[in-house]
Amino acid sequence: MKRWYIFIILIVLFVTSLSAATIIGSEDEYHYSYLNSSKLGETAWEYVTGEENRSSISENFSYSVSLTNSWSWSIDISILGKLGLGTKKSDVIKITRTYNISIPPYYGWYLYKKTTYTRYYYKYWIETINIYDDGKIEVTDRTEYKLFYKTIISETTKTELKGL
């Protein structure tokens, strides 16, 4: 009789070990990678201001110019947060650049500005991580790659000193 109990217990243990493991936890992980960038265009250098020294001694002066740099994302703010790319969809940054200039006799100083438009392309995907009650961890890629981009608009300046 003892042998039958042991045999039944062994069968029960074997059958329970064959049953599928149950998922006890699941988590989505967001991943992204950089693809490339593309210069969308830029304006020509545009004249902003200038000073000319028509005297025989050097002249000193100071000039300030404001520049605007901005950026924006093409995807929703909730996905940006899950990718770890911040909490803003767009932003504008104002920069003031100051020039302290000494112009030699019979020279002119000229300030030019241009705007550049650049787009940076990325892809993102989502992986699901399942944790089973038997200790097994399984990672499945559950989506196709999705394209998104960041557009940056930046202003820059250049100066020129040339004889009159």
Side-chain angles (χ1 to χ4, degrees):
M1 188 88 167
K2 252 185 187 176
R3 291 184 194 166
W4 282 102
Y5 285 117
I6 293 173
F7 182 70
I8 291 174
I9 290 173
L10 288 174
I11 289 176
V12 170
L13 288 175
F14 178 73
V15 169
T16 56
S17 70
L18 291 179
S19 67
T22 309
I23 296 175
I24 58 172
S26 183
E27 182 179 313
D28 287 341
E29 283 192 357
Y30 287 71
H31 303 277
Y32 74 95
S33 67
Y34 170 77
L35 297 173
N36 64 13
S37 65
S38 173
K39 190 178 225 180
L40 301 176
E42 64 185 13
T43 62
W45 286 105
E46 116 188 34
Y47 173 78
V48 177
T49 190
E51 291 286 329
E52 294 179 343
N53 181 3
R54 298 192 179 273
S55 71
S56 59
I57 59 170
S58 293
E59 288 185 9
N60 298 321
F61 76 100
S62 181
Y63 183 78
S64 294
V65 62
S66 288
L67 302 173
T68 303
N69 294 324
S70 63
W71 54 265
S72 62
W73 290 101
S74 66
I75 59 174
D76 189 69
I77 190 75
S78 64
I79 295 175
L80 281 174
K82 291 175 183 175
L83 291 170
L85 293 173
T87 57
K88 289 183 177 180
K89 187 164 171 89
S90 63
D91 199 2
V92 175
I93 302 163
K94 299 257 185 207
I95 301 167
T96 301
R97 191 170 283 162
T98 302
Y99 296 94
N100 295 311
I101 300 115
S102 177
I103 304 175
Y106 304 108
Y107 270 80
W109 175 83
Y110 307 98
L111 176 71
Y112 301 91
K113 179 168 77 170
K114 78 173 176 179
T115 304
T116 304
Y117 304 87
T118 307
R119 189 166 280 168
Y120 296 89
Y121 294 94
Y122 301 84
K123 66 180 177 180
Y124 81 92
W125 65 97
I126 304 169
E127 292 178 346
T128 301
I129 299 173
N130 294 320
I131 302 168
Y132 294 90
D133 59 359
D134 64 355
K136 183 174 129 186
I137 297 175
E138 180 182 73
V139 179
T140 54
D141 186 4
R142 80 162 215 234
T143 63
E144 296 179 14
Y145 294 121
K146 295 186 181 177
L147 181 69
F148 68 103
Y149 56 86
K150 181 179 189 178
T151 304
I152 297 178
I153 303 169
S154 60
E155 292 181 334
T156 188
T157 60
K158 76 173 182 177
T159 62
E160 183 178 62
L161 188 64
K162 64 181 179 180
L164 299 176

